[in-house]
Amino acid sequence: MLPLLVLLFLLPPMVCRLDDVTNLLLVPHEWYQPGDLIIGAITSQIFYVFSEILFKEHPSQKMFEVPQMLTKFYQHTIAVAFAVREINENPKILPNVTLGFHIHDSYYDARMTYCSTLGLLFKLHRFVPNYKCDTQKNLIAIIGGLGSDTSFHMADILDLYSIPQLTYGSFPSKESNKRQVTSLYHMVPNETQEYMGIITLLKHFGWTWIGLFTVNDNSGEHFLRTMESLFYQNGMCSAFTRQIPHVPHFNEIGDVLDLASNIYIPFTDDKASTFIIYGESLTLTWLTVIIVMRDPINNEIMSLRKVWILTTQTDFVLVGFQRGWDLQFFQGTIAFSSHSKELTGFKHFLEVAKPYWTSGNGFLKDFWEQAFDCTFPTLHERTKVNETCTGEERLESLPEPLFEMSVAGHSYSIYNAVYVVAHALQAIYSTRMKDRIMLRYKRFELQEPQPWQLHSFLQRIYFNNSAKETVSFNDKREIGGGFDIMNFVTFPNKSFRQVKVGWVDPEALEGKEFIIHEDMIVWYNGIHQVVPISVCNDYCHPGNQKKRKEEGKFCCYDCVPCPEGKISNQSDMDDCFMCPEDQYPNKNKNRCVAKTLNFLSYEEPLGISLASIAISFSLVTTFVLAIFIKHRNTPIVKANNRDLTYILLVSLLLCFLSSFLFFGQPGKVTCLLRQPTFGIIFSVAISCVLAKTNTVVVAFMATEPGSCMRKWVGKRLSHSIVLFCCVIQVSICIVWLSTSQPFPDLDMHSVTEEIILQCNEGSIAMFYCGLGYMGLLAFISFIVAFIARRLPDSFNEAKFITFSMLLFCSVWLSFIPTFLSTKGKYMVAVEIFSILVSSAGLLGCIFAPKCYIIVLKPELNSREQLRRRKN
C-alpha cells in the first residue's frame, strides 16, 4: 500500500472539489478544531485486532471492530486541546492568529499510521493522496508519535514535505540515522540517557542478575543489544530475555497458553528478582494478561516478590476488561518517566470535560464508555450494557491505571510541543513584521507561513513555559531535562499512585546526575524497607572474595576465603586487599585490627624482672666498692692493684646501669647512646681484667734473677693496657657514629600483630665489629688468665679471672644466635640479660672470694698470712 502512496506523492498537488473525493478509508476517531493555522497530532491510545487484508473486498468494509482504548492516554489528546486553548487566550503569543488542531490515532498499526498521516495532510473527513481538498485547513506541524515505529512511519511521509514532526516518545537517535530524517524533533531526551540511568540504578542497589522483557520489534532488539553490552561493561548479566508480541494475533487459545507458559517460566527463578520491561504500554498490558492467566489469584507471583523496572515508553495502563484485576504484584515498581511538572489550570480543564463538552471529538465517547464501564443509550447495541452513561461521571473518581488527573510525562511533552510550534510561528511573524516596517514605502503582502519555514526557527527556539521550565533543542534536535524516577504504591482497593523518588539528568551539575531517595521507596509487600536482592548467587560475605565459575555467565561465581594477610570488609568483593602497615587482619579476615606497639616496658613482668635484677646488681656492686674503699689499706686490696680494682668495680656498676638504656620506647638519644655506651664500658671492664692478669704474669717473671721485666712492674703497665684497649673501642664507636648513626625504627612486618619499636643500629657491620672487639679482649684475657692460674702469688686472681672470662665468653657466644632468632622486645631482653649475666659473672668470680675474706675472714687479711701464702 505504501509504495502506491509514495508514487502518488511524487505527482504535483492538485485542487479538487470536496464532492468529487471518494472515501477510501473511514478513520473512526479524530478530533478537529478549526483555526488559521492547524497543528496536527497522532496519538496512540486505541488499538484494534486487525484482520489480514486479502484484497477480496474493500479494506474499509471490515477493517474495524470493537476498539480497545488505553483510557489513560486520552490525556495526550487533552494536552493538545489545553495547550491550543491557552495560546489562543494569551494575547502575547500569536495575537492575531487562531490556532486549531486536528488529532488522529495510530491504532498501533503501520497501515493505519500511514493512513492517519495522509489524513492530516489532505483531508478533514475524507482524502485523496496528494490532493488538497480542504482549502481552509493550513497544517503547519504535526506532533507524534509515541513509539519509534509510529514516529518513523510518520516521518516516511512528513519528511517528503519538510513538515516539522515533534515526537513525544523516547527512543534512540541511532534509529533515525538509518535514514536521514531532517524534519524530526524529539520533545524528550534521547533514550540513551535512560539506559545509563537504568545501569546506575542497578549498580546503586547492587542488582546484577536481571530479567529482560521486550517488545518483539526492531526497537526491542536494539534495546537488548544495547543493554547486553552495558551489562557486560558494568559486571551485570541478563538472567533471561523474553519478547512479547506488540499486538498479539492468536488463531486459537492454544497459542495464548503456549505464549503464557514460555514467558511465565522465568518468574520461578528465585535468584532473578529484578525485571526490566521495555516497550510501549501494550507490552506491559499483555504481560499482565499472561501473569493473570497463569496465576489468577496472584498467590504464586506474590510469593516470588519481584521488582519491576519500567522504561519511559512503558506506562502502567489498563484496558476496560482489566479494571477488576488485583495488581498487588506490581507493588514497588520503579518506572522511568519523561520529566513533567504540574500545569496551572490543567486539572480544572480535565474536571469540566464531558461527553457533550465539545463537538468534533471522536475519541471522547469511546473513552467515556470504557473508562466508566457504561454505555450511552445510542450505542448500547455494540457492547453489553453494564449501566447507562449519564455524562456526569467524574474523571477524578477513576483509578490511575485508567486515568490520572496530574500531568503525565508524555502529556507534558505534548504540551511543550504545541508551545514550541507557537513560539516558532511567533518568531516568523515578528520577523515578517520587521521586514514590513523596513519596506513600508513598497507594497508588501504578508503570506501565511509554510511548514518548511519553521525549521530554521525551531532549531533556535528558547523559552520558559508556564511551569517556569526552559524549553530548547540541542544540536541533535532533542529536548534536555532528563527523566523522573517514579515508585508505584498499590492499595487494597486495586488502585495505585506514583511517587517521584528521584531523577536522571546527565546535563545536571556534577554529583546531581543521578538522585535516588531510597527512604521514599516502598518495596513489594512483606519486606517493607529492606532492599531486594537480585544476584546470580548469594553475596560473598566479608572475609571472602569472588571466584569465577568455570561454566555459566560471569555474574555467577563461588566464594573463597581471603588469602593470608588480606581481608574483605564488604560483601561481594572481587578481590581481597592488604591492611595498612599499622594494622593486621583479624581471625575472620573481615576487618583490620590496629597492631600493638612492641617494646620492652618497665610496666610488664619481663621488664620489671630485668630492671629489678639490674638494680640489685648495681647495689651489690656499690656495696662491694664501698667495702674495698673502706678496706683499701688492707693487704688483700693492695695486693691486686687497688686502682684497677676501683676502675673495674666502677665499670661493672656502669655496665649494670647501662642496661636501663635498653628499657622503654626507643628514642633518638637512647638509640644513639645504648650500644656505644655498652661497648665502651664493657671494654674498660675487660681491659681492667686483662691488665690484672698481665700484672700477675709480669710480677712472676720479674722475680727471676736478672729479669728485664722488673721495670714493667707497677701501675704504669696496667694503666697503659686499659687506656690502649679503651682507645680502640672508642675509635670504633666514633667511626660508627660518624658514618651510620643508630636511629629509632618501626618494624611492621616481622610480627603480624605487632609494630616493633626498635633501634636500627645503622651499620650492622660496625655493631658486630664492636661486639667482636670485646670478644677478642675477653678471649685474650681468658688465655692469659688460664696460663697464669697456677702461678704462686699472694691472692692470685688468675684462677678466678679464668672462670669469669669463661663465663663471659660463653654468654656472648650464646647471645649471637639467640639475638638473631628473636624479635621485638625479646631481642632487647636477650641483650639486657647477656649484659647482666656477664657483668654479674665478672663481679662474682673476681670479687666474691675477696669480699668473703674481707667481711667473713678478716684474720686472713694480714701480712703474716700474705707471707705464709708466698712461702
Side-chain angles (χ1 to χ4, degrees):
M1 181 176 180
L2 179 59
L4 296 175
L5 296 177
V6 172
L7 289 176
L8 290 173
F9 293 154
L10 299 178
L11 298 174
M14 301 177 62
V15 179
C16 66
R17 294 178 308 178
L18 193 61
D19 297 337
D20 295 337
V21 178
T22 304
N23 185 9
L24 294 180
L25 184 64
L26 176 64
V27 178
H29 301 92
E30 61 179 320
W31 185 3
Y32 178 77
Q33 178 177 305
D36 299 326
L37 298 173
I38 301 298
I39 297 177
I42 293 183
T43 59
S44 299
Q45 54 185 311
I46 301 170
F47 68 92
Y48 291 91
V49 179
F50 293 109
S51 302
E52 183 180 358
I53 297 179
L54 301 176
F55 296 99
K56 294 181 180 180
E57 55 189 2
H58 198 283
S60 63
Q61 295 180 7
K62 291 187 178 180
M63 190 73 173
F64 304 102
E65 297 180 358
V66 178
Q68 290 293 334
M69 190 171 193
L70 304 180
T71 55
K72 188 175 184 177
F73 287 172
Y74 179 65
Q75 192 187 94
H76 303 171
T77 303
I78 297 295
V80 177
F82 175 71
V84 168
R85 193 188 75 166
E86 269 194 352
I87 294 170
N88 288 335
E89 293 177 352
N90 189 346
K92 296 181 180 180
I93 304 179
L94 302 176
N96 299 319
V97 178
T98 300
L99 288 182
F101 59 81
H102 195 179
I103 306 174
H104 279 196
D105 201 270
S106 69
Y107 300 103
Y108 293 94
D109 182 78
R111 296 169 296 176
M112 293 305 301
T113 300
Y114 288 127
C115 182
S116 296
T117 305
L118 292 172
L120 291 177
L121 294 176
F122 302 115
K123 73 152 185 114
L124 277 175
H125 299 291
R126 60 187 68 186
F127 77 92
V128 174
N130 216 40
Y131 282 76
K132 185 176 288 187
C133 298
D134 178 20
T135 58
Q136 295 182 353
K137 178 182 176 183
N138 188 5
L139 186 71
I140 199 69
I142 294 181
I143 299 172
L146 177 59
S148 60
D149 287 347
T150 301
S151 298
F152 287 110
H153 291 152
M154 294 171 59
D156 289 338
I157 298 175
L158 299 179
D159 202 40
L160 296 174
Y161 294 94
S162 295
I163 297 176
Q165 177 188 354
L166 295 91
T167 67
Y168 63 96
S170 177
F171 42 85
S173 59
K174 289 184 179 180
E175 297 264 349
S176 62
N177 291 335
K178 294 179 180 178
R179 182 178 66 80
Q180 291 297 325
V181 182
T182 59
S183 59
L184 192 63
Y185 298 85
H186 297 266
M187 294 307 301
V188 291
N190 189 280
E191 194 174 69
T192 305
Q193 299 182 11
E194 183 183 12
Y195 295 162
M196 297 311 301
I198 293 174
I199 294 298
T200 307
L201 179 73
L202 297 176
K203 292 173 67 175
H204 176 80
F205 289 112
W207 297 331
T208 59
W209 192 239
I210 316 299
L212 297 174
F213 292 96
T214 67
V215 63
N216 188 12
D217 60 12
N218 292 332
S219 63
E221 293 177 358
H222 176 271
F223 175 79
L224 286 178
R225 291 194 303 270
T226 304
M227 293 307 295
E228 288 286 2
S229 176
L230 291 175
F231 279 177
Y232 181 79
Q233 296 172 22
N234 292 275
M236 304 172 187
C237 298
S238 57
F240 62 85
T241 58
R242 289 293 186 274
Q243 293 185 321
I244 303 173
H246 189 64
V247 178
H249 300 271
F250 302 116
N251 297 325
E252 56 185 16
I253 190 65
D255 295 339
V256 181
L257 296 176
D258 290 343
L259 177 65
S261 176
N262 181 52
I263 292 178
Y264 191 81
I265 289 175
F267 285 95
T268 58
D269 183 356
D270 59 344
K271 298 296 184 183
S273 300
T274 303
F275 297 155
I276 299 176
I277 303 176
Y278 176 86
E280 297 184 11
S281 299
L282 282 178
T283 306
L284 182 60
T285 301
W286 290 117
L287 183 61
T288 306
V289 172
I290 290 169
I291 292 174
V292 173
M293 287 181 61
R294 287 296 306 267
D295 187 18
I297 59 177
N298 297 341
N299 282 341
E300 184 177 10
I301 190 66
M302 285 293 289
S303 64
L304 295 175
R305 296 177 177 176
K306 306 298 182 180
V307 177
W308 307 84
I309 299 178
L310 308 184
T311 54
T312 305
Q313 297 296 89
T314 312
D315 203 347
F316 197 97
V317 297
L318 295 179
V319 293
F321 67 88
Q322 296 175 306
R323 69 173 60 249
W325 289 4
D326 186 1
L327 303 177
Q328 290 289 315
F329 55 86
F330 282 114
Q331 167 78 2
T333 295
I334 297 177
F336 286 81
S337 172
S338 298
H339 173 68
S340 64
K341 202 170 184 179
E342 285 301 323
L343 300 172
T344 304
F346 185 74
K347 186 174 182 180
H348 176 72
F349 190 78
L350 293 175
E351 290 173 347
V352 299
K354 301 296 177 183
Y356 47 81
W357 176 42
T358 182
S359 60
N361 187 347
F363 299 94
L364 191 52
K365 285 190 177 180
D366 280 335
F367 162 75
W368 208 269
E369 288 181 342
Q370 296 194 31
F372 293 103
D373 195 22
C374 62
T375 307
F376 287 100
T378 56
L379 303 176
H380 66 277
E381 300 88 2
R382 289 175 53 185
T383 58
K384 181 180 178 181
V385 179
N386 293 328
E387 59 177 283
T388 301
C389 298
T390 64
E392 297 299 328
E393 292 84 1
R394 300 178 63 84
L395 291 176
E396 57 265 32
S397 66
L398 294 173
E400 279 198 16
L402 292 176
F403 194 80
E404 57 182 322
M405 300 297 290
S406 59
V407 181
H410 291 144
S411 301
Y412 188 73
S413 299
I414 293 172
Y415 174 85
N416 285 334
V418 176
Y419 267 89
V420 165
V421 175
H423 278 276
L425 290 171
Q426 177 73 17
I428 292 177
Y429 281 114
S430 298
T431 302
R432 290 186 173 185
M433 185 60 65
K434 293 177 182 178
D435 293 341
R436 185 175 185 181
I437 294 174
M438 294 177 62
L439 301 173
R440 59 185 181 276
Y441 298 111
K442 298 181 180 180
R443 185 173 180 180
F444 187 83
E445 182 179 354
L446 292 176
Q447 298 179 348
E448 292 293 336
Q450 298 301 311
W452 58 268
Q453 295 175 321
L454 266 68
H455 288 293
S456 61
F457 294 92
L458 287 172
Q459 295 175 20
R460 301 193 303 269
I461 205 73
Y462 188 92
F463 66 92
N464 290 334
N465 62 13
S466 62
K468 309 301 181 183
E469 292 192 324
T470 301
V471 179
S472 64
F473 292 106
N474 59 22
D475 56 353
K476 296 181 180 179
R477 299 185 182 185
E478 298 168 348
I479 294 289
F483 299 91
D484 293 337
I485 301 178
M486 314 298 291
N487 178 226
F488 285 21
V489 182
T490 61
F491 300 99
N493 62 354
K494 301 178 182 179
S495 64
F496 74 89
R497 65 183 177 92
Q498 299 184 58
V499 179
K500 183 177 178 180
V501 295
W503 65 85
V504 176
D505 186 3
E507 299 176 1
L509 297 175
E510 185 176 358
K512 301 290 185 181
E513 299 92 342
F514 176 84
I515 298 295
I516 187 75
H517 300 291
E518 190 174 333
D519 56 328
M520 296 177 61
I521 299 177
V522 178
W523 301 108
Y524 45 71
N525 291 336
I527 66 168
H528 304 291
Q529 294 302 316
V530 179
V531 178
I533 297 175
S534 186
V535 292
C536 178
N537 42 255
D538 294 335
Y539 288 124
C540 290
H541 297 297
N544 296 272
Q545 65 181 5
K546 295 192 292 187
K547 180 182 179 182
R548 186 174 177 179
K549 292 183 177 180
E550 296 297 330
E551 298 179 356
K553 294 189 177 182
F554 72 92
C555 287
C556 302
Y557 49 83
D558 293 321
C559 298
V560 295
C562 290
E564 288 298 323
K566 292 186 176 182
I567 70 157
S568 62
N569 56 1
Q570 298 178 10
S571 297
D572 223 30
M573 293 190 68
D574 293 324
D575 294 297
C576 300
F577 61 91
M578 299 288 293
C579 288
E581 285 191 336
D582 59 344
Q583 299 177 16
Y584 69 95
N586 65 347
K587 183 179 180 181
N588 296 326
K589 299 180 181 179
N590 57 6
R591 67 184 181 93
C592 293
V593 180
K595 293 182 178 180
T596 58
L597 298 179
N598 181 307
F599 61 91
L600 187 59
S601 171
Y602 292 105
E603 299 175 357
E604 59 181 303
L606 180 60
I608 295 173
S609 301
L610 292 176
S612 300
I613 295 173
I615 292 173
S616 300
F617 280 121
S618 299
L619 294 175
V620 170
T621 305
T622 304
F623 178 71
V624 172
L625 178 60
I627 291 175
F628 272 69
I629 293 175
K630 182 178 179 182
H631 298 86
R632 61 185 178 274
N633 294 319
T634 60
I636 198 170
V637 176
K638 290 181 178 182
N640 298 113
N641 198 327
R642 184 168 51 189
D643 293 338
L644 284 181
T645 300
Y646 293 157
I647 296 173
L648 178 58
L649 285 172
V650 171
S651 63
L652 289 176
L653 174 62
L654 294 177
C655 283
F656 289 123
L657 295 177
S658 68
S659 64
F660 286 97
L661 291 173
F662 295 84
F663 286 94
Q665 184 172 337
K668 186 174 181 180
V669 176
T670 55
C671 286
L672 193 66
L673 295 179
R674 61 164 59 170
Q675 298 296 353
T677 301
F678 153 69
I680 293 173
I681 293 174
F682 250 85
S683 296
V684 172
I686 300 174
S687 299
C688 290
V689 173
L690 179 60
K692 275 178 169 289
T693 309
N694 283 332
T695 300
V696 174
V697 174
V698 171
F700 175 77
M701 295 175 65
T703 59
E704 296 180 1
S707 175
C708 62
M709 299 299 295
R710 292 183 179 183
K711 62 181 179 179
W712 295 104
V713 176
K715 298 180 179 180
R716 182 178 177 184
L717 177 62
S718 59
H719 291 171
S720 299
I721 293 174
V722 173
L723 181 61
F724 176 77
C725 294
C726 292
V727 167
I728 295 177
Q729 183 68 287
V730 170
S731 301
I732 293 174
C733 293
I734 290 175
V735 174
W736 183 3
L737 296 179
S738 61
T739 57
S740 182
Q741 294 181 354
F743 58 91
D745 193 15
L746 299 178
D747 182 2
M748 297 186 176
H749 307 290
S750 297
V751 181
T752 303
E753 301 177 3
E754 297 176 346
I755 300 176
I756 299 175
L757 278 68
Q758 63 183 10
C759 286
N760 189 312
E761 306 304 344
S763 173
I764 297 297
M766 297 302 297
F767 169 72
Y768 284 109
C769 185
L771 195 63
Y773 177 70
M774 287 190 297
L776 178 62
L777 289 179
F779 180 73
I780 295 174
S781 298
F782 171 74
I783 296 299
V784 174
F786 182 79
I787 294 173
R789 71 187 186 281
R790 297 186 182 276
L791 294 176
D793 190 16
S794 58
F795 306 107
N796 188 357
E797 296 178 300
K799 186 182 299 184
F800 303 115
I801 291 175
T802 302
F803 286 112
S804 66
M805 289 297 101
L806 181 62
L807 177 61
F808 184 92
C809 293
S810 300
V811 169
W812 287 103
L813 286 175
S814 303
F815 161 78
I816 294 176
T818 309
F819 181 81
L820 294 176
S821 62
T822 54
K823 299 293 181 182
K825 60 184 178 182
Y826 298 106
M827 179 184 288
V828 178
V830 167
E831 187 166 2
I832 295 174
F833 179 79
S834 299
I835 292 172
L836 296 178
V837 172
S838 58
S839 300
L842 291 175
L843 180 66
C845 292
I846 296 175
F847 294 100
K850 295 179 174 62
C851 290
Y852 174 77
I853 294 174
I854 294 171
V855 176
L856 300 179
K857 298 289 185 178
E859 66 275 8
L860 299 178
N861 189 9
S862 63
R863 286 181 178 273
E864 292 76 14
Q865 289 295 327
L866 179 61
R867 292 192 183 98
R868 188 179 302 165
R869 291 173 63 86
K870 285 183 178 181
N871 295 330

